[in-house]
Amino acid sequence: MAHGIPRQKTIQRLKRIEGQVRGLVTMLEEDRYCIDVLTQISAVKAALSGVEREVLKDHAGHCVAGAIASGDPDEQRTKFDELVDLVLRRPV
């Protein structure tokens, strides 16, 4: 993560998401309209997906690329397997 994505930018995004999640708690405590709550949940999911996408791009661009450049078949296989495992455990 410390490679391509500025860590502070990612932390700021996650803190913003944390605030959105706290807002969801408040909405539920205040018995807000279900559609409003669901809309906010969708926004949180989209924001987390954006962070995930950036971290994945960083991983592929640095960690995986580094394994390829290393010429080490074991390291290459490890990074490849990590990506495959990640993709397979994601909900569809």
Side-chain angles (χ1 to χ4, degrees):
M1 164 86 87
H3 306 291
I5 305 175
R7 183 175 296 262
Q8 195 57 41
K9 181 179 175 185
T10 302
I11 290 169
Q12 288 170 348
R13 289 178 75 181
L14 288 170
K15 286 183 178 186
R16 198 171 317 120
I17 293 166
E18 180 182 26
Q20 289 177 292
V21 171
R22 280 194 307 271
L24 276 166
V25 170
T26 301
M27 291 175 81
L28 291 171
E29 289 171 344
E30 295 174 352
D31 200 26
R32 296 275 296 273
Y33 184 54
C34 295
I35 295 300
D36 294 339
V37 174
L38 290 167
T39 299
Q40 186 63 21
I41 289 170
S42 290
V44 169
K45 287 168 53 176
L48 277 172
S49 290
V51 171
E52 179 185 36
R53 189 172 34 259
E54 290 303 314
V55 172
L56 180 58
K57 280 172 38 181
D58 184 65
H59 179 67
H62 292 90
C63 300
V64 175
I68 292 168
S70 76
D72 180 346
D74 291 333
E75 187 178 353
Q76 292 168 350
R77 172 56 62 187
T78 297
K79 296 301 177 195
F80 176 79
D81 289 344
E82 286 175 353
L83 286 176
V84 169
D85 290 345
L86 177 69
V87 170
L88 292 178
R89 76 171 168 238
R90 287 177 131 183
V92 239

